[in-house]
Amino acid sequence: MWGSLLEAFSTIFSFYGIFLMVFGVAGGITIGAMPGLSATMGVALLIPITFAMEPAYGLILLGSIYIGAIYGGSISAILIRVPGTPASVATTLDGYPMTVNGDADKALKISITSSVVGGVISALALLFISPPLAMIALEFGPSEYFWVALFGLSIIVTLSADNPIKGFISAALGLFVGTIGMDPLVGTARFTFGNINLLSGVQVIVLLIGLYSIPQVLETLESGELSKGISIMKRDRIISIKEIWAEIKEIWPTYIRSSILGTIIGIIPGAGANIASYVGYNEGKRWSKHPEKYGTGYSEGVAASEAANNGVTGGSLIPLLTLGVPGNGVTAVLIGGLLIQGLNPGPRLFAQNADIVYSFMGAILVGNFIMLVLGYYGANLFVNVVKIPTSILGPIIIVMSIVGSYAIQNSLFDAGLMLGFGLLGYLMRKLNIDSAPAVLALILGPMAESNVRRALLMSAGNPAILFKGLINWILIIMIAGSFFFAFYSFYRERKSKNNGNSGGAKV
Amino acid sequence: MKMAVKDKITAVVIMILSIAGYMVARTYPMGAGAFSKSIFMGGFVLSIALYISTKMGLYKNQEKEEKINSKRISIIIGITILYFLLIEYIGYFIITPLFLFSLTIFLGYKNRKVLFLYPLIFTAFLYLVFRLFLNVPLPLGILAQI
């Protein structure tokens, strides 16, 4: 491990590597700070650009964008009370009141320091937990992988969908799209309708750009909100490093607690940065010496949410790199990025492409320190991007989506397919069907199918092989548990709502 | 439209698509068809579940306000599709600035200097990124004949 890590550092600390990290983190912060541009969309839109790079550098760029974007959302959350990404919704609760009280500078500095602590702790977890986990995962055979894929699917539907039936419908759509093209084992063309472009299947990234960028843009443009840009509140008190240090010394347990919570939540497939920020905030309040100050513009509240959402970054990469299972939208997009580089995420990646994996993990760690510098001194510059009206930003994103999906294979067919998925995604939004399960199912579906068929080939068609051994049974029980949990919590929530009690904030 | 009504329509559409998909999947050899068939069977069951759930009053007290501005959104989608269809024939260089310009004007942006300059600058910037950096040729359309 140490050898690979040292080798990776020579890639990361090359001129090109540093340039990409600075560019990626700054670009990520910009994307994150723009309301309407989520981290997922940002990474998806930029994947076509990484296509021409060497895999290690492409991943360094994508990782830097990821961490930057999750942090960037807090800037607009604090200054204009519009969370730049869903991950920063909880940051508005204390961040914006701080701005109103004239403490915007302090809020921004607490936000960047806590984000970096969350990011570094989770990056260290990623570095130290992934290699041994990958070693265990290497022992998995096709039957275990089949259940892992199913578990990923079931828990994602459970956690991401408001209504489990609709979540599964969305997943079924993704599974269907995943079967389009040549069948992986015997080569039958499935659902290609004679179209030669579909023989190699639907590019994951085409579906991703379509589902994550077009519906969001259409909805923003349709509502006409923010189309004239927003004026930004002036900041009053400027805080020195010494004062920030004194503040951190007082609230450091929150930094650590939220970072660890965020990392753990990140590891769980399905729970993303938005859930982490709420959990971090609620736990921060519960353990705080001054819970009554939460919501009034208290720096600890900002730290509790921000350390947690950046904690997710490294955590969410653990199942991605060790099992090939994407835990949330951004990691699904990152899998798309790995796939177009010809890399198959999973434990074998550690064995075969250790240099790439370690460069990626190292960049997540080092990128956080770059983010500290950029965020600490430049937060007030990044917020200027919210002045760009959506009537300009929207058309630009549409062009980038079309040109980007075209560029992957020089194929206008892909661009059209992307647009088709985009319109479908818009329709799904109107029908309250979450598109995340579809995206994750597109990745997990082929994984489930090829593994179950491989297992059955090995056993000459006897399905008993799927139920042999302890690991299989543990996975099966986890799947059953997540189904039970999904329908139970859905039922309970509806019941309480129907009784006229709308309940607290939905997490 | 109420959510329950929308859900009923969705359920029926999914049911029809699942049956159609199953019929297609049946023609594939056993190994290749089994997984597809099970997806469509799942889709069929889900469509029934969705239909039944509309009868259970799940959306009581929580109908969201409809925010569909159909005229505005149809024009936005229309301009976008037109852009995609024309890019091959007219070419990236001509159609992209026109698309950016017309959509921004339609959305009500008024600053003339920005309105004329930004489509050109962005089109050139994206060309530089894709052509020079990534080596991806963008469709030239009618410019190719010159």
Side-chain angles (χ1 to χ4, degrees), chain B residues 86-106:
Chain B
L86 292 178
I87 195 168
E88 190 176 359
Y89 304 103
I90 301 187
Y92 167 82
F93 277 106
I94 299 173
I95 198 74
T96 303
L98 281 177
F99 165 74
L100 293 171
F101 178 79
S102 52
L103 189 53
T104 305
I105 258 195
F106 170 73

Side-chain angles (χ1 to χ4, degrees), chain B residues 23-144:
Chain B
M23 301 309 266
V24 177
R26 244 178 32 163
T27 62
Y28 299 143
M30 182 51 201
F35 191 70
S36 315
K37 276 194 273 185
S38 52
I39 296 173
F40 292 117
M41 273 192 254
F44 187 78
V45 173
L46 285 169
S47 67
I48 292 174
L50 185 64
Y51 198 89
I52 294 173
S53 72
T54 59
K55 305 274 187 202
M56 289 164 52
L58 295 172
Y59 299 106
K60 238 194 285 170
N61 306 329
Q62 48 157 355
E63 278 292 342
K64 269 198 287 185
E65 210 183 307
E66 289 270 349
K67 276 197 293 188
I68 301 182
N69 184 340
S70 32
K71 199 178 151 198
R72 189 177 160 96
I73 195 67
S74 325
I75 295 178
I76 295 172
I77 293 176
I79 296 178
T80 306
I81 292 179
L82 204 64
Y83 168 64
F84 166 69
L85 292 177
L86 292 178
I87 195 168
E88 190 176 359
Y89 304 103
I90 301 187
Y92 167 82
F93 277 106
I94 299 173
I95 198 74
T96 303
L98 281 177
F99 165 74
L100 293 171
F101 178 79
S102 52
L103 189 53
T104 305
I105 258 195
F106 170 73
L107 293 168
Y109 188 75
K110 293 216 171 58
N111 185 337
R112 282 209 187 150
K113 228 195 267 171
V114 177
L115 202 51
F116 282 95
L117 273 178
Y118 107 85
L120 297 175
I121 296 174
F122 181 74
T123 305
F125 168 74
L126 207 61
Y127 171 76
L128 288 178
V129 171
F130 277 96
R131 180 75 210 143
L132 300 183
F133 187 55
L134 296 178
N135 229 350
V136 173
L138 296 171
L140 281 174
I142 46 175
L143 286 182

Side-chain angles (χ1 to χ4, degrees), chain A residues 164-210:
Chain A
I165 297 175
K166 290 187 176 181
F168 280 110
I169 287 176
S170 172
L173 169 76
L175 289 175
F176 164 67
V177 175
T179 61
I180 294 177
M182 294 260 266
D183 153 56
L185 295 187
V186 291
T188 312
R190 295 187 292 187
F191 303 103
T192 56
F193 306 104
N195 190 323
I196 195 161
N197 292 300
L198 286 174
L199 269 184
S200 56
V202 173
Q203 288 275 339
V204 173
I205 193 69
V206 167
L207 180 94
L208 287 168
I209 297 179

Side-chain angles (χ1 to χ4, degrees), chain A residues 45-53 61 400, chain B residues 129-130 133-134:
Chain A
L45 280 177
L46 290 173
I47 279 187
I49 295 182
T50 63
F51 182 40
M53 297 177 184
L61 179 62
M400 280 181 74
Chain B
V129 171
F130 277 96
F133 187 55
L134 296 178

Side-chain angles (χ1 to χ4, degrees), chain A residues 58-70:
Chain A
L59 285 176
I60 288 177
L61 179 62
L62 293 178
S64 311
I65 296 168
Y66 180 20
I67 58 173
I70 296 285

